[in-house]
Amino acid sequence: MQKINKNVVLALLSLTSLVFLLFQLYYYKFYLSQKNGTVFSKVRGSQSGEDSTRWHVVRKFLGLISSHNIPVYLIDPLILGLVDKDIEQIRSSGGPSPECKYFCVPRDFTTFALLDKTWKPEMGLFRTAEKMGFQWLKIINKDPRLDGMDDLSGIEIPLHYIFKLASHAIHLVVFYERSGNYLWHGSLRLKQHMDRKFVPFRKLHFGRYPGAYEKPELLLVSIDDLKVQIPKNPSSFLEEMSHSRFLECRYREARAFFQLYPDDASLDAVEFRKKAKSLLHLAALTLNNLGVKFWLSSGTCLGWYRQCNVIPHSKDVDLGVFIRDYKADIIPAFQKAGLPLKHKFGKVEDSLELSFQGEDDVKLDIFFFYEEDDHIWNGGTQAKSGKKFKYLFPKFTLCWTEFVELKVHVPCETLQYVEANYGPDWKVPVKTWDWKSSPSNVQYNGVWPVDEWDDVIQIY
Amino acid sequence: MDEWKPNPAAKPHKKRSWYLAWKYKLMNQRALRKLCQTGAVLFLLVTVIVNIKLILDTRRAAYEEEEESAQDYDDEMLNVEVPRHPVNNKKVLDVEVYSSRSKVYVAVDGTTVLEDEAREQGRGIHVIVLNQATGHVMAKRVFDTYSPHEDEAMVLFLNMIARGRILIFTVKDEGSFHLKDTAKNVLKSLGSQVAPFLSWRDMWTFVGKKGGEVYGEKHAKSPALSTWGDPVLLKTEVHLTSVEDAECHWPDTELNRRRKRFCSKVEGYGSVCSCKDPTPIEFNPDPLKDNKVFNVPVAVIAGNRPNYLYRMLRSLLSAQGVNPQMITVFIDGYYEEPMDVVELFGLSGIQHTPISIKNARVSQHYKASLTATFNLFPDAKFAVVLEEDLDISVDFFSFLSQSIHLLEEDESLYCISAWNDQGYEHTAEDPSLLYRVETMPGLGWVLRKSLYKDELEPKWPTPEKLWDWDMWMRMPEQRKGRECIIPDISRSYHFGIVGLNMNGYFHEAYFKKHKFNTVPNVQLKNVESLRKDAYETEIHRLLGEAEVLDHSKNPCEDSFVPDTEGKVYVMFIRMEQEADFTTWTQLAKCLHIWDLDVRGNHKGLWRLFRKKNHFLVVGVPASPYSSKKPSSVTPIYMEPPAKEEGAVAVPAVPAAEQT
């Protein structure tokens, strides 16, 4: 009897569980179809109907924007990646293509870019879009170009548009020109009342972070019988995209800092800032021409992070460069640009540091950084004693930012970087700074052997 | 997941006999039973897995909402419709209106919409306009009809109000002294019984619908010249109409949607809200050929004078070669009505939290506006700076397009300005002529980005310094000897008569008779001669050809200049050193041009027109052009009047006029 009972119980249990399972499968499917069937698109595989849907949506979208004279260009990494493989062929051929090779590949989105200044958002566009069957979503946010100024309001700008038709969506990223001659796009943040299931936002290629780009050269090509603008060099665009993350300066914190420590508005400070700015511009130009990646370091980085400006009592401009990016041309290039070498400490293998003489006592220091397994360090040398110092930093990656009308790199993990260098009290201005003892990450690193001094301590 | 689909399909056979047989079999066959048990367990497991997957998926979707949710602004698109009270047809509003010597107030449904008990302010007739469908306040004005001409302004205002609006009037202190018959008749036509007989220090309140019924009127007569009428309090009810009745039925276009939004919110802009034949809000002036300033940003500096802003933007958008995309209006303060005006024209506007007070507030607003302009248009090398109380000439952009390259190439230039301080009706003549002057006139000018970013912005006066920005810019530390280019006939006209440094008298004396170019497409003459060295050659040529006037005559007399046309004359005045403007100031005074400080000079030389002749004034010996003076001529000296004569009240600081 017991056995029977057990069996009956088990059977009943499996029965209920089966019913439950059925219900859940049904619900799951229902839930997903609400999300536009995107997950199931994998399951359904590459049926030709789905493929041509994507192509049709793209075609409709291109028709829509060209009817309103809005110039967009393709920045979809997936398609550009495919296009890049056949770039020669695409550039040369203009005739019809035999098969749908690009716009039909399985994906949830097709991404386009739009330059803000080339259009004006008018309701007409969206009305036409609706008539064509598109559902659309606009994501707006504060204009970062005005963020640096207290007390301005009234401006929210469109950052992203999403046009959805059937199971495919077009992601239109709006790029803005900013001081420093670069393009910027914002991050995509949904506001409370927005439809979070409009499209699978997590899968978007743009919008997780803000990004900074050079102004691209465009090329009009015909892909899959659709005329579309693409970046002239897709592979370098994709490369740029992979590390385009942009950090906005912390304007609000900077204002709070100036509340506490009013800015130095003396003529000297104004003059120094002007010189430091032009020195930084010159250095950036020189290093960019050489293709040497650099970032704001030490005091200059602190100035950016703490007050969004040059610290007027800092007296020099500090840049960091990874030693793997070192080039022997650096010194002659700076000399050519009118910045003679002031001193050179260390050698490429160890603790290299270059100093160039800018206009009127403003000095440009370039510190070279050495990567280890769990940290990064740069070196310092005391000229008179030959003592070596080592400054340790936690590992970091590089992000773009805007500083004194320049697009430059800073460590993305800026707080750790600044804290490593200046300790937890970095928020308090210090006027007397000893580079040998003040930094909280300094380590004594021995003495240069005397016979190497001529090489590792060069002062001009 | 899919492999599980076939399973459920197999299940639903449920015949009892089959079940019993199955059970029986199960009992007898251990292996099968075991299989079934494992099968059941498997089912359970799968259910659990599906469950977990579902939870994870829902989680993920929820997580997508991301950290940032602090701001919670409404999406603009959802907001296109004007916010309104939920309007039930035929709602009733309670209106209370109070009039007395020292205080007036108006309350609508218990909400005070006007309250003025400030001393020595707000004298005259207060007018409030309500939307007849929503009861919203659409306009609020006060007309000091104790003073002359204010009644004319009131008539103008009342005529602009659309039919059907609800009008509320109340008098504070005195409102009849300069209330002329025209105005009284207009009030009578609105249904007022009392207005035609309103007299000295009477108190009066009135509520009525324009072109319709009267809701109430109360009046208290002043018993004697020296006393005021008793305070009056009018309580009445107003019946609201439906929204449809209150709106016009314009065709549904993008422009009309803007118009509708505007017209349901504010009043007093006349035909722009007329139902039958509304005035256009898009102007489409002819484009300029080879427009060099098409991509130059235009910053319009505004305060809370929305009617001025409306007039200004109309003229700006009608100027040939205007590019509306480049225009940004900067409003000093969170005022709604100026923003409504900006939106009516489809332009972008930015509001700025006021910092500091008086002149410093204007100065801080200027700084914020200029910085924002260059941030928003990082490509721009220049910015055009305008103010809300300027009319813009039809060839404003054409004038700039022809001259802007000078600002780019000639380092000795400080700005290009559309305003000639000395260009009055009787002293300006040639629309194609330009000058170089050492003073910065402002009032419609072009600023070089490098000048602003490298020099002005870093040391701009801080909020605690109560300086005028324009006076500061004129200081030698900033100007550094550089000059501005100006036209002989101004390309802007200053119409504002209320403002920080402005009043009716001042405007009448110094701005009303200013000449303003109305000719389109003026081809500027000899622009290249405005460059630093070329200009000296040009001046020497002019002086060489100029006829020396008879220095024995009185230069203030008309007969000082012969009755000719198109000739060039020169006179010499005494100017001991560079800063000695004694004689010039007297001369300027009697010529009725700007004499409050020195404007329009170039190295001790002033250029203007008299009786259609070019008229040059050279200060001797300070000016380098003194050498052109024939030895026989003695420079004219004019003595300043003794102090007590200068009794005319003139504002202390002759700063240009701003918000």
Side-chain angles (χ1 to χ4, degrees), chain B residues 252-393:
Chain B
D252 186 31
T253 64
E254 187 117 11
L255 289 182
N256 280 340
R257 276 195 292 274
R258 296 205 309 247
R259 189 195 297 277
K260 204 167 194 159
R261 191 182 144 88
F262 180 78
C263 293
S264 67
K265 278 181 88 177
V266 293
E267 257 294 355
Y269 293 83
S271 56
V272 73
C273 293
S274 140
C275 282
K276 272 197 191 130
D277 186 20
T279 186
I281 52 172
E282 199 178 51
F283 306 95
N284 300 314
D286 295 340
L288 275 185
K289 263 188 213 142
D290 192 21
N291 187 350
K292 302 247 175 30
V293 290
F294 190 74
N295 289 319
V296 174
V298 177
V300 178
I301 315 286
N304 190 19
R305 295 182 291 177
N307 287 279
Y308 282 10
L309 185 62
Y310 175 79
R311 172 172 167 180
M312 188 274 165
L313 291 178
R314 283 192 80 90
S315 76
L316 175 63
L317 292 171
S318 308
Q320 291 180 355
V322 67
N323 179 359
Q325 289 236 55
M326 302 303 285
I327 300 174
T328 316
V329 181
F330 293 93
I331 300 163
D332 191 16
Y334 290 89
Y335 304 115
E336 262 186 60
E337 202 169 321
M339 205 61 180
D340 294 333
V341 172
V342 171
E343 281 166 11
L344 171 70
F345 290 113
L347 301 173
S348 64
I350 295 178
Q351 289 166 319
H352 176 226
T353 316
I355 307 168
S356 192
I357 48 160
K358 289 185 183 167
N359 303 356
R361 171 172 168 178
V362 176
S363 167
Q364 290 311 304
H365 182 49
Y366 254 88
K367 182 184 181 190
S369 306
L370 297 178
T371 304
T373 301
F374 287 120
N375 281 354
L376 289 173
F377 301 96
D379 270 357
K381 285 186 197 152
F382 308 99
V384 175
V385 185
L386 300 173
E387 286 157 32
E388 69 183 343
D389 51 5
L390 298 177
D391 280 329
I392 299 305
S393 157

Side-chain angles (χ1 to χ4, degrees), chain B residues 141 190 198 302 414 424 485 560 640:
Chain B
R141 299 281 192 283
L190 290 171
L198 194 67
Y414 198 46
Y424 290 85
I485 286 184
F560 184 68

Side-chain angles (χ1 to χ4, degrees), chain A residues 8 50 63 69 74 81 99 128 142 144-145 149 162 189 207 241-242 265 273 279 282-283 383 394 404 406:
Chain A
V8 169
E50 271 294 301
N69 284 323
L74 185 73
E99 47 172 346
T128 323
K142 274 212 201 128
R145 298 168 298 178
M149 319 177 48
I162 291 169
R189 294 286 176 271
M241 181 183 161
S242 63
R273 280 192 169 140
L279 180 61
L282 186 60
V404 292
L406 202 61

Side-chain angles (χ1 to χ4, degrees), chain A residues 426-440:
Chain A
W426 56 271
K427 278 187 184 170
V428 183
V430 179
K431 292 222 173 172
T432 49
W433 184 259
D434 179 10
W435 59 271
K436 299 181 292 304
S437 58
S438 305
S440 56

Side-chain angles (χ1 to χ4, degrees), chain B residues 478-545:
Chain B
Q478 275 66 251
R479 193 172 64 83
K480 294 182 179 156
R482 288 169 291 192
E483 294 185 301
C484 288
I485 286 184
I486 59 163
D488 179 54
I489 300 183
S490 299
R491 262 44 175 201
S492 59
Y493 177 76
H494 181 261
F495 63 78
I497 52 170
V498 285
L500 186 57
N501 297 316
M502 187 54 61
N503 58 50
Y505 166 78
F506 190 53
H507 186 265
E508 185 116 3
Y510 289 102
F511 291 100
K512 204 168 179 186
K513 299 256 168 66
H514 235 281
K515 200 155 187 170
F516 176 60
N517 181 53
T518 51
V519 185
N521 289 317
V522 176
Q523 186 66 41
L524 300 181
K525 195 163 62 185
N526 221 353
V527 176
E528 292 311 306
S529 72
L530 270 298
R531 286 174 199 274
K532 192 174 190 232
D533 298 330
Y535 195 66
E536 295 311 311
T537 320
E538 173 72 10
I539 296 291
H540 279 101
R541 187 189 65 74
L542 258 182
L543 286 168
E545 112 188 25

Side-chain angles (χ1 to χ4, degrees), chain A residues 3-4 6-8 10-11 13-18 20-22 24-25 27-29 31-32 35 39-40 43 116-127 136-157 176-182 187-194 196-197 199-203 208 215 252 265 267 270-271 274 277 402 405, chain B residues 1-2 4-5 7-9 11 14 19 22-23 26-27 30 33 36-37 39-41 43-44 46-48 50-51 53-54 57-78 80 252 254 257-258 324-325 328 330 334 339 345-355 367-369 371-379 449 453-455 457-459 462:
Chain A
K3 268 187 181 173
I4 297 170
K6 194 174 159 192
N7 277 327
V8 169
L10 247 170
L13 256 174
S14 26
L15 206 80
T16 39
S17 102
L18 185 76
F20 199 48
L21 181 74
L22 270 171
Q24 287 204 333
L25 273 173
Y27 178 76
Y28 190 56
K29 191 175 173 184
Y31 169 75
L32 285 176
K35 290 178 67 181
V39 170
F40 272 99
V43 179
D116 161 64
K117 68 170 185 183
T118 58
W119 80 312
K120 196 172 179 228
E122 286 201 337
M123 280 311 289
L125 170 72
F126 303 104
R127 297 202 160 202
W136 58 275
L137 181 77
K138 172 167 98 162
I139 283 114
I140 56 172
N141 216 326
K142 274 212 201 128
D143 190 338
R145 298 168 298 178
L146 301 176
D147 230 18
M149 319 177 48
D150 341 12
D151 39 73
L152 283 189
S153 78
I155 280 235
E156 287 212 334
I157 50 173
Y176 289 84
E177 241 171 73
R178 297 193 43 179
S179 313
N181 200 27
Y182 68 99
S187 59
L188 191 149
R189 294 286 176 271
L190 297 176
K191 293 189 177 158
Q192 257 157 19
H193 63 270
M194 281 180 174
R196 269 141 232 281
K197 299 189 187 89
V199 287
F201 289 102
R202 303 221 110 206
K203 294 191 178 170
R208 175 169 290 272
K215 293 179 191 168
R252 203 181 308 164
L267 264 186
V270 169
E271 271 305 297
K274 196 174 151 187
K277 178 179 165 184
E402 182 183 314
E405 290 170 64
Chain B
M1 281 312 87
D2 269 25
W4 288 104
K5 277 186 177 172
N7 258 339
K11 192 65 200 168
K14 259 198 188 174
Y19 171 72
W22 177 68
K23 199 174 88 177
L26 270 185
M27 289 199 317
R30 272 190 152 221
R33 201 182 60 202
C36 272
Q37 281 181 350
V41 169
F43 263 138
L44 280 168
V46 169
T47 319
V48 167
V50 171
N51 235 320
K53 176 119 176 79
L54 191 73
D57 248 59
T58 327
R59 265 285 177 83
R60 199 182 61 181
Y63 187 67
E64 257 164 31
E65 303 177 4
E66 292 280 343
E67 324 77 8
E68 240 193 60
S69 59
Q71 301 125 322
D72 168 25
Y73 300 110
D74 281 340
D75 193 313
E76 270 180 345
M77 294 339 301
L78 306 172
V80 175
D252 186 31
E254 187 117 11
R257 276 195 292 274
R258 296 205 309 247
Q325 289 236 55
T328 316
F330 293 93
Y334 290 89
M339 205 61 180
F345 290 113
L347 301 173
S348 64
I350 295 178
Q351 289 166 319
H352 176 226
T353 316
I355 307 168
K367 182 184 181 190
S369 306
T371 304
T373 301
F374 287 120
N375 281 354
L376 289 173
F377 301 96
D379 270 357
K449 180 180 183 177
K453 279 279 163 195
D454 298 344
E455 300 182 40
E457 189 188 29
K459 51 179 184 176
T462 45

Side-chain angles (χ1 to χ4, degrees), chain A residues 154-177:
Chain A
I155 280 235
E156 287 212 334
I157 50 173
L159 298 178
H160 298 265
Y161 290 94
I162 291 169
F163 293 85
K164 185 170 82 172
L165 184 68
S167 58
H168 196 62
I170 305 287
H171 179 199
L172 185 59
V173 184
V174 189
F175 281 79
Y176 289 84
E177 241 171 73

